[in-house]
Amino acid sequence: MEQQLPPEIMKKAVKGISYIAHPLRLRLLEYMDVNGASSVSTLTKAVEEEQMIVSQSLKKLRDANLVKTERKGIFIYYNIYEEYPASIFECIRKLFAYMTDSFFYLTEKALLPKDYTTMVANRIKLFANYDKMRILEYLTLYGESNVSDIINGIGSEQMKVSQYLKRLKDDGFVTARRDGRFIYYDITQGVHKTAIQCIHKRYDNLKNKAEF
């Protein structure tokens, strides 16, 4: 059975995914994933936003090591810094394809509808937290579990786990059912489960795990 990610790897994953949990940043990264290195002016036109706002978002992405820059003459070009954001987009496109029967996205890199990427960014924002992602990871790997199993599995405090399970349930990321005196939780389908699976896939495929 697949194992949970080491804590330091999950912390890196949470940090990366929290930076893309923003509609504009997600769209900028998506455009670079599809079209490659792009100038600020090109990105500004693509996302239909003010150049100053785009530049600020690009700076945050660069500070987070999610994009890199290269100067060509008087222009600076931005591109995705590492494979991690690209792998997230591959998973998001697959999810969209299966949700909408738009199977074109299974084989082709193409920009997703703006309202969908906005929804994805806002959904990611709700679970981009270390403890929440640990809970979602546990349920993804081991299936329906009660609170005690989850607490023991992720090594966290009961109060904290119970609070986060309630929030995850309220946001539609998990379901709950009572069986006697126990409540069992299970993960639902969606971008949250897709993100966990994608993070694991990338980690498993790395020969040098330190490169995550």
Side-chain angles (χ1 to χ4, degrees):
M1 181 178 287
E2 194 171 5
Q3 300 296 309
Q4 292 164 268
L5 294 175
E8 65 274 12
I9 297 297
M10 179 57 87
K11 287 176 182 177
K12 284 184 180 180
V14 172
K15 183 178 179 180
I17 207 165
S18 65
Y19 270 95
I20 70 172
H22 182 282
L24 179 56
R25 289 180 214 152
L26 191 66
R27 285 164 52 216
L28 288 168
L29 286 169
E30 182 194 23
Y31 186 87
M32 287 179 269
D33 180 50
V34 172
N35 297 285
S38 306
S39 66
V40 176
S41 59
T42 298
L43 290 165
T44 300
K45 291 176 183 177
V47 299
E48 299 178 338
E49 189 54 85
E50 293 181 17
Q51 185 166 325
M52 183 181 295
I53 295 173
V54 170
S55 295
Q56 290 172 347
S57 293
L58 288 169
K59 183 180 184 303
K60 290 181 180 178
L61 291 172
R62 187 177 61 184
D63 291 345
N65 292 322
L66 291 174
V67 300
K68 57 186 176 181
T69 58
E70 179 184 1
R71 181 176 289 279
K72 295 181 180 179
I74 62 171
F75 297 104
I76 296 177
Y77 285 77
Y78 289 79
N79 204 356
I80 288 181
Y81 183 73
E82 57 171 296
E83 187 270 342
Y84 177 55
S87 65
I88 290 288
F89 285 113
E90 180 182 350
C91 293
I92 291 172
R93 280 192 285 269
K94 286 182 180 178
L95 179 63
F96 179 77
Y98 288 120
M99 285 175 59
T100 63
D101 292 335
S102 303
F103 299 117
F104 164 81
Y105 288 96
L106 293 178
T107 56
E108 299 294 331
K109 274 190 175 184
L111 296 175
L112 293 162
K114 179 180 176 180
D115 58 347
Y116 180 75
T117 52
T118 298
M119 181 274 290
V120 167
N122 290 330
R123 294 292 285 170
I124 290 174
K125 192 181 300 182
L126 294 173
F127 67 83
N129 165 281
Y130 179 81
D131 292 290
K132 287 183 179 181
M133 286 184 64
R134 270 299 189 206
I135 292 171
L136 293 173
E137 178 195 35
Y138 186 87
L139 294 175
T140 297
L141 295 177
Y142 305 111
E144 189 180 54
S145 308
N146 61 39
V147 178
S148 297
D149 291 336
I150 298 170
I151 292 169
N152 293 331
I154 68 173
S156 189
E157 303 169 6
Q158 181 171 344
M159 182 176 295
K160 183 184 287 187
V161 171
S162 296
Q163 288 175 342
Y164 281 130
L165 280 168
K166 183 182 184 304
R167 293 178 191 173
L168 290 168
K169 179 178 177 292
D170 290 344
D171 291 327
F173 296 130
V174 303
T175 58
R177 70 173 182 87
R178 181 175 290 279
D179 187 356
R181 63 189 185 90
F182 295 103
I183 298 177
Y184 288 85
Y185 293 88
D186 204 359
I187 191 168
T188 58
Q189 297 294 328
V191 68
H192 53 298
K193 186 172 184 178
T194 298
I196 295 293
Q197 292 169 332
C198 190
I199 290 164
H200 267 262
K201 182 180 178 182
R202 185 192 176 220
Y203 180 74
D204 293 342
N205 289 339
L206 284 174
K207 291 182 179 179
N208 181 5
K209 306 302 185 187
E211 293 179 356
F212 187 94

